[in-house]
Amino acid sequence: MTALEMLEGLPRLDLRGFVSPVQRLERFSETIGVEVWCKRDDIGSVGLAGNKVRKLEVELAHALACGATHLVAEGSRLSNATRAVAAAAAALGLKCTLLLCHDEPHEPVGNLMLDGLFGADLRFVGNVNWLELAEHAEIVVRELERSGERVYRLPIGCASERSCLGFALAYGELRYQMRAHGRSVGTIVHASSSGGTHAGLVLGNALHGFESQIRGIVVAEDVYPDVAGTYLSFARGGARLIDAEVELTRDHINISEAYLGEGYGLPAAGIYEAIDLLATKEGLLVDPVYSGKAAAAIIDLAARNELKGPVVFWHTGGYHALFDPRYAKRIWSAIERLSGVEL
Ligand SMILES: Cc1ncc(COP(=O)(O)O)c(C=O)c1O
């Protein structure tokens, strides 16, 4: 059996129910002078979730096979990953505990609101770093296990060797769709933090002969002590799980912190222009925490003539920050057309 056949045959759940479309962004492309398509992982799926669902389809098939009764996940209060886990747990009839860090927001907005609605047990651990958060999660896992639960713990961003296989599969899906449109995949640009998306796309690309460039736009600082090395270890580990004989090195990990701006969830150059341009030219929404930074990167890289086309903007989802009053106010005042409007 080939590695691609093993990948196709992986046990996985269907938490999306459909294949997300890829759409040509005509007016956006015309404006920035590069042919851009959008892979719409922002739509459909369990619990309004975006890219995390592909990871969970593979990871939670394994969790169920292990007899899990309770999912434990960790992340910031803004996290889309924890929300996706909470939604998937509800859909699968599993219990769920979330460990949430960062002090803001204190109001039930965005993902925090949804985490609660999906019935997860929420534990707030304050302003800790990612390593401390993981330690808190370990303590909760042991506590739940002592009470008789069979716990399956999902790491930060649900990123793992296994879960990245969901994105290795996704690469093949996109390639097939683009071929149906008579187009190849020159470059994929996506928002990146915990690395499962990037690792999986890199592995998928490797399985198809390294025909595309995969560019991850980093949206969170210091997720790991060695970010590129950790991404690489996910991709290599995923390759081992499907017996793929591909040589993956650090050179295959292509990530940039140039668009992180002031940090995770904080403003970055070009982000409001990107939100505005996609909304007005395409009716497409990107958020200021994740996909907006990837979109800002596309605009900038196109201006520098650094993108090999056709470009696919992998829309990883995450609208909810748009409805968080803090972000909504920033966006409204940053867009000239809106800032003058008397409310
Ligand atoms: C909307 C959105 N885009 C992109 C990412 C980054 O994906 P990954 O964690 O796989 O690097 C995340 C997760 O943090 C996300 O929620």
Side-chain angles (χ1 to χ4, degrees):
M1 201 189 265
T2 66
L4 271 175
E5 284 165 350
M6 278 188 74
L7 182 62
E8 291 286 342
L10 270 184
R12 68 178 195 273
L13 307 172
D14 181 7
L15 296 172
R16 285 171 296 136
F18 81 134
V19 177
S20 64
V22 61
Q23 296 167 338
R24 191 172 171 134
L25 303 182
E26 293 284 356
R27 282 156 301 282
F28 181 70
S29 301
E30 216 170 274
T31 310
I32 70 167
V34 173
E35 178 185 338
V36 184
W37 295 68
C38 182
K39 178 66 170 157
R40 301 292 310 274
D41 271 9
D42 56 314
I43 53 178
S45 288
V46 69
L48 305 178
N51 64 336
K52 305 301 173 198
V53 178
R54 290 187 184 271
K55 304 183 190 181
L56 290 174
E57 286 184 334
V58 178
E59 193 78 64
L60 296 186
H62 188 241
L64 292 182
C66 296
T69 58
H70 202 125
L71 304 179
V72 171
E74 67 212 58
S76 96
R77 293 185 190 218
L78 298 169
S79 167
N80 291 306
T82 53
R83 185 240 316 152
V85 173
L92 297 171
L94 300 173
K95 284 174 257 176
C96 179
T97 299
L98 300 180
L99 283 290
L100 300 174
C101 69
H102 293 147
D103 272 345
E104 290 183 287
H106 288 291
E107 298 152 87
V109 290
N111 285 324
L112 184 57
M113 162 73 169
L114 299 179
D115 292 341
L117 267 184
F118 290 130
D121 177 19
L122 307 180
R123 313 264 183 114
F124 300 106
V125 297
N127 240 342
V128 298
N129 66 29
W130 302 118
L131 283 175
E132 290 161 341
L133 181 63
E135 285 163 16
H136 280 281
E138 256 319 299
I139 293 168
V140 169
V141 167
R142 285 199 291 275
E143 171 197 315
L144 290 168
E145 282 173 345
R146 276 196 300 275
S147 72
E149 294 292 333
R150 296 188 70 158
V151 178
Y152 196 91
R153 179 176 162 211
L154 293 137
I156 191 88
C158 305
S160 72
E161 296 179 351
R162 186 178 304 280
S163 73
C164 82
L165 292 174
F167 264 96
L169 268 167
Y171 177 86
E173 178 184 303
L174 172 72
R175 183 176 179 270
Y176 180 82
Q177 288 177 308
M178 289 296 280
R179 285 190 154 205
H181 287 289
R183 310 300 291 138
S184 60
V185 181
T187 307
I188 296 175
V189 181
H190 67 91
S192 192
S193 58
S194 69
T197 304
H198 193 73
L201 291 174
V202 166
L203 175 56
N205 186 30
L207 294 171
H208 289 92
F210 296 106
E211 53 192 17
S212 315
Q213 288 181 11
I214 315 291
R215 301 185 69 145
I217 305 304
V218 173
V219 299
E221 58 276 42
D222 305 330
V223 179
Y224 309 112
D226 174 7
V227 177
T230 308
Y231 284 22
L232 179 61
S233 70
F234 291 146
R236 283 181 172 163
R240 270 194 305 277
L241 288 172
I242 53 167
D243 291 340
E245 287 177 17
V246 284
E247 177 124 4
L248 291 169
T249 68
R250 270 181 190 263
D251 288 345
H252 294 115
I253 303 299
N254 185 345
I255 49 178
S256 167
E257 291 195 359
Y259 305 94
L260 176 60
E262 293 168 35
Y264 176 67
L266 296 172
I271 191 165
Y272 301 116
E273 290 82 350
I275 292 173
D276 190 25
L277 198 58
L278 281 167
T280 51
K281 297 283 178 198
E282 300 290 345
L284 188 68
L285 294 174
V286 289
D287 78 292
V289 182
Y290 297 96
S291 51
K293 289 189 178 174
I298 292 178
I299 296 170
D300 183 60
L301 292 168
R304 293 169 191 271
N305 218 0
E306 285 182 27
L307 285 177
K308 177 179 159 232
V311 174
V312 177
F313 166 42
W314 202 296
H315 197 323
T316 46
Y319 294 129
H320 316 96
L322 286 173
F323 304 108
D324 177 330
R326 285 178 316 153
Y327 288 114
K329 274 183 209 143
R330 274 188 214 155
I331 295 168
W332 194 273
S333 57
I335 296 176
E336 224 179 275
R337 173 169 46 79
L338 297 174
S339 61
V341 176
E342 195 94 23
L343 292 173

